[in-house]
Amino acid sequence: NIVIGFKQECEVIIKDSIQYYEGEAYPYHREVFEKIKTQIINQIFKDLLLCFDSQLQKIKGQYFQTFTQSMKSSFKRDVVNDNFHQLTLGFQDQALKGFQSQSELLITDGHGWENYITKFERELKASTKEVIDEAREIEVKKLLKLTIQATKTSVEELIDPPL
């Protein structure tokens, strides 16, 4: 599940770890003290990155699921949707903006995790585009079927004499 307050939890872990280190390592030479402190902070961020990655994966999954549900509920099997393009772009935009705003709440300062958000955002965009492309094919087939039926009816009316 998504950890509510993930950013704050990470900040507490980092702060507590640094405070503990500073309390225990005060007798170290200043250069050694700072070098080890930097190594500890880097290791903490590296360890937290796995959690961050997991959180992004879950958020991406949530917004993809919401997107697919919106798509399914908006497009009926036998009805051609006149505003297909607008609707699909709107659903995709909602998913991407929602993901972006949720993922920004996870970021802690000094870690450089922004690239991961961009990566997951690209993945979400590609996944939603794939669903849109599949739905577009279905819409085109429905339209083609209706066009053929309408053409057939028109031709039959022209060829068949009225009774």
Side-chain angles (χ1 to χ4, degrees):
N1 290 334
I2 295 173
V3 176
I4 297 172
F6 178 81
K7 175 182 177 177
Q8 292 77 14
E9 293 291 330
C10 289
E11 289 170 349
V12 166
I13 290 169
I14 294 163
K15 180 183 166 208
D16 289 351
S17 299
I18 291 171
Q19 283 179 345
Y20 178 78
Y21 171 75
E22 289 174 346
E24 296 294 317
Y26 67 89
Y28 292 174
H29 184 272
R30 193 74 186 153
E31 249 179 62
V32 173
F33 176 87
E34 291 300 326
K35 181 179 177 184
I36 292 175
K37 181 178 174 181
T38 300
Q39 290 173 345
I40 289 171
I41 291 169
N42 288 339
Q43 185 62 47
I44 291 169
F45 279 128
K46 184 179 176 184
D47 293 343
L48 289 174
L49 179 60
L50 297 172
C51 299
F52 180 75
D53 187 77
S54 175
Q55 292 296 293
L56 286 178
Q57 189 72 23
K58 295 215 182 271
I59 292 170
K60 181 183 89 169
Q62 260 186 349
Y63 281 97
F64 182 72
Q65 183 178 7
T66 301
F67 168 81
T68 55
Q69 288 172 345
S70 296
M71 290 287 290
K72 286 179 184 176
S73 67
S74 295
F75 302 112
K76 306 300 179 212
R77 181 173 282 180
D78 297 329
V79 178
V80 175
N81 197 315
D82 293 336
N83 55 353
F84 176 84
H85 183 72
Q86 291 170 325
L87 282 174
T88 56
L89 287 182
F91 295 150
Q92 185 182 47
D93 191 50
Q94 283 177 335
L96 292 172
K97 283 182 179 175
F99 172 80
Q100 194 174 47
S101 66
Q102 281 284 117
S103 58
E104 286 174 358
L105 296 175
L106 303 177
I107 295 178
T108 58
D109 295 331
H111 55 68
W113 291 345
E114 292 83 3
N115 292 338
Y116 287 91
I117 292 174
T118 304
K119 173 189 162 236
F120 279 97
E121 191 173 355
R122 272 189 255 126
E123 289 175 6
L124 179 60
K125 188 172 187 173
S127 298
T128 56
K129 184 183 180 319
E130 194 174 298
V131 172
I132 290 170
D133 290 345
E134 289 171 11
R136 182 178 290 113
E137 277 186 43
I138 292 168
E139 289 293 307
V140 168
K141 286 178 184 177
K142 288 190 290 188
L143 191 57
L144 183 61
K145 182 180 175 182
L146 288 173
T147 304
I148 290 171
Q149 286 174 347
T151 304
K152 182 181 175 185
T153 303
S154 294
V155 169
E156 284 175 351
E157 287 175 359
L158 289 172
I159 295 174
D160 291 339
L163 297 177

